[in-house]
Amino acid sequence: MPGPLGIVLGMWAYAFTHLTLLADRPAGLLAGAALAAVVLLALALAVHAAGAGAPRGDRAVALRARASRRRMPRLVDPDAAGRPRPRAPGAHPSAA
């Protein structure tokens, strides 16, 4: 879970771990932390599901415009009539 949500979740888990170690009755604190973790996970999944269904309009439009500007490369037959054959390199390099 990269990104800001992952960082916040990691810091939150670290803080609650230390609070659990320092608390008098860690069972209640741990139960509250588990409940908060479940709520955060459900919230993250809901946000992800809402964003995944909608297509990204700007990117799709840009890709379509780019594809329409592109041309197909010309298919050239090197053995066609009137075309000189490519020359192989000679024994001596050219002076150019």
Side-chain angles (χ1 to χ4, degrees):
M1 186 181 298
L5 185 62
I7 293 170
V8 169
L9 189 61
M11 290 173 60
W12 174 83
Y14 180 77
F16 269 109
T17 301
H18 283 280
L19 282 176
T20 304
L21 294 174
L22 297 174
D24 290 337
R25 288 192 278 161
L29 187 61
L30 194 58
L35 182 64
V38 169
V39 169
L40 280 176
L41 182 63
L43 180 66
L45 288 175
V47 168
H48 181 69
R56 300 187 105 173
D58 297 337
R59 183 177 171 141
V61 169
L63 284 176
R64 234 178 274 122
R66 181 177 167 196
S68 67
R69 284 192 309 264
R70 299 280 179 175
R71 292 185 306 145
M72 286 293 293
R74 286 183 9 173
L75 300 177
V76 179
D77 184 12
D79 293 328
R83 279 196 176 274
R85 295 285 298 162
R87 294 183 55 143
H92 304 290
S94 63

